[in-house]
Amino acid sequence: MMVYLYYKYKDRRRAVKPERLNHTLPIVTIQLPLYNEQYVAQRLIEAVTKIQYPRELLEIQVLDDSNDKTQKIAREAVAYYHKLGFDIHYLSRDQRLGYKAGALQEGLNSAKGEYVAIFDADFVPPPDFLRKTIPFFKNDNIALVQTRWAYLNRTYSILTEIQAIMLDGHFVMEHGARYGSGRFFNFNGTGGVWRKQSIEAAGGWEHDTLTEDLDLSYRAQLLGQNFIFLEDVTTPSELPIEMNAFKTQQHRWAKGSIQTAKKILPLIWRSQQPFRNKLEASYHVTNNVAYLLMLFLSVLIFPSIVIRVQAGWINSFWIDLPFLCAATISVSLFYLLAQIEINRGKWWHCVLRLPLLMSIGIGICINNSRAVLEAILNLKSSFQRTPKYGINNKKDTLKILQYRGIRNWLPVLELLFALHFGLLIYYSATNEIYSSLPFLFLFFIGYLYVGLTSLWPQTIRRG
């Protein structure tokens, strides 16, 4: 459906053009929320000071909740650029109340700008960012302009390549389809510009979920405010380079989306939105429930294989073929077509990565199922930041030990599932149920890769 909507409304999206700013340029506040980002804080602040915008109309807020060396680095950077004439402020809180949402709200209370641009610590906004986004606020009903993410370390490893393909699918196909068809889509927490008045009208930043960006996005759109997605405008970012950091990020996103669903769905269904918008929004905020279904499937495959053995390989083939196609073709087209749209000439490289992409998506289902269950059961957890290292290539040489993704007992369970599927592969092969092998290998490789790289993460280096 997303692919269909993307191409159906492609011309409508491209018809949206920025207007010339003939009037006085507005004041813009740039917010930089930081928490223990000693390897990327300097890079971020430096990049923001290079943004091409009249200095007297640009305010920079460094919202630093750090409790490590980041404080010193950020303070020194702010002092340096303040002496150069930038309107830059260092804001630090004694308590990390509300985590990122709390920091953003506190900064918003004193922000001078009519518009607020937000960049996480792992982003490097391009100099022309405001020049390409501010002109789209052509009427008072535009609340947000979101840009597409690009990736500084896309080719660092197989893991970063897979993440890039996954996120490209989200930004190109999902955002493109939702925006073009007039459905809800969300701010991604960074790489976008808000109208300050729109944030305040929607109730401001709230921290009762782990995805404050998704929460605010729906509250604003339910008030009738409109968002714009710029597929052709990119903001470079850094992808997690080790599995535990990736799983930490995925856990937060999965849990936060279900928390937001519990909070927002009643408002959506009581609204005056068209039924199609309500239905798609329900899929959107609950889509991580699919990880629970994937976990159930992983358990139920064993009895299904036994039934296939009893039925014989011919009957099993005609059962497995449609299931394999349904489970892989739609997913493959979703990600492949996204690559064709943004990487013309290099999209074929994605084809070789699709099996591993599906395997990793399966492999993280235990991690994300735990997150979904925590949200359903109202189990509280703190906002766990994604470790960032400022690493773009493998030539870096200095070991980093300070930041790691959360490590727990889940990799042991992932490896047990890998063993389970290894035995199922052997059982199916010895009983000549060959049609089930491709499906089983996706599960086996996924659980094995995620489990091993979680227990023995790669050595992280930086130079």
Side-chain angles (χ1 to χ4, degrees), residues 152-285:
L152 298 165
N153 58 342
R154 184 186 188 107
T155 59
Y156 178 84
S157 67
I158 287 292
L159 179 60
T160 58
E161 287 187 36
I162 296 303
Q163 290 178 76
I165 295 172
M166 286 179 171
L167 288 169
D168 284 341
H170 166 68
F171 277 95
V172 178
M173 286 296 153
E174 287 193 57
H175 272 4
R178 290 183 177 123
Y179 167 54
S181 62
R183 290 166 168 83
F184 294 102
F185 82 94
N186 63 287
F187 173 52
N188 293 98
T190 178
V193 184
W194 278 91
R195 187 188 300 273
K196 180 183 176 181
Q197 185 179 8
S198 297
I199 299 177
E200 295 171 338
W205 294 102
E206 297 180 357
H207 52 83
D208 50 352
T209 75
L210 294 178
T211 47
E212 70 290 327
D213 45 7
L214 180 63
D215 174 26
L216 178 61
S217 297
Y218 270 92
R219 284 188 279 118
Q221 289 171 104
L222 285 170
L223 292 177
Q225 300 179 24
N226 293 325
F227 291 4
I228 289 177
F229 172 59
L230 303 181
E231 182 180 320
D232 296 328
V233 179
T234 60
T235 306
S237 64
E238 176 185 326
L239 295 162
I241 61 175
E242 60 105 1
M243 182 58 70
N244 289 313
F246 173 58
K247 289 166 77 173
T248 297
Q249 182 188 70
Q250 290 293 309
H251 180 278
R252 186 178 72 249
W253 289 353
K255 183 172 182 176
S257 70
I258 301 303
Q259 291 173 328
T260 302
K262 294 170 67 176
K263 176 180 178 179
I264 294 298
L265 277 178
L267 301 178
I268 292 173
W269 284 97
R270 287 198 298 265
S271 72
Q272 299 301 312
Q273 290 287 325
F275 175 78
R276 65 174 191 175
N277 288 14
K278 295 179 180 179
L279 183 63
E280 205 289 314
S282 299
Y283 277 110
H284 182 197
V285 296

Side-chain angles (χ1 to χ4, degrees), residues 37 39 125 133 157 166 220 236 259 272 281 329 342 344 376 379-380 382 392 432:
E37 313 287 4
Y39 303 113
T133 53
S157 67
M166 286 179 171
Q259 291 173 328
Q272 299 301 312
I329 290 179
I342 62 176
R344 296 184 183 277
I376 292 173
L379 299 178
K380 300 297 182 181
S382 60
N392 297 336
E432 300 180 347

Side-chain angles (χ1 to χ4, degrees), residues 5 86 121 143 238 332 392 419 445:
L5 291 175
F86 287 91
E238 176 185 326
S332 298
N392 297 336
L419 176 62
I445 293 171

Side-chain angles (χ1 to χ4, degrees), residues 281-383:
S282 299
Y283 277 110
H284 182 197
V285 296
T286 63
N287 61 12
N288 283 296
V289 172
Y291 287 107
L292 279 178
L293 303 179
M294 183 71 71
L295 189 59
F296 286 135
L297 178 62
S298 298
V299 174
L300 293 174
I301 279 183
F302 171 69
S304 74
I305 292 296
V306 173
I307 293 172
R308 283 166 168 75
V309 170
Q310 295 174 349
W313 75 269
I314 294 179
N315 291 329
S316 298
F317 174 80
W318 294 111
I319 294 173
D320 287 336
L321 182 62
F323 277 110
L324 183 63
C325 291
T328 58
I329 290 179
S330 63
V331 175
S332 298
L333 283 176
F334 178 83
Y335 291 110
L336 181 59
L337 291 172
Q339 293 304 305
I340 290 175
E341 288 298 315
I342 62 176
N343 290 317
R344 296 184 183 277
K346 295 183 179 180
W347 61 267
W348 55 269
H349 187 70
C350 172
V351 176
L352 305 177
R353 299 288 184 258
L354 287 175
L356 187 55
L357 180 149
M358 286 184 278
S359 288
I360 292 179
I362 293 168
I364 62 171
C365 84
I366 297 177
N367 177 76
N368 289 12
S369 293
R370 179 189 181 189
V372 171
L373 287 173
E374 287 178 359
I376 292 173
L377 299 175
N378 293 322
L379 299 178
K380 300 297 182 181
S381 60
S382 60
F383 186 102

Side-chain angles (χ1 to χ4, degrees), residues 66-80:
S66 302
N67 54 22
D68 68 354
K69 294 179 182 179
T70 307
Q71 283 195 1
K72 182 176 183 294
I73 295 170
R75 285 181 186 275
E76 290 178 351
V78 169
Y80 173 77

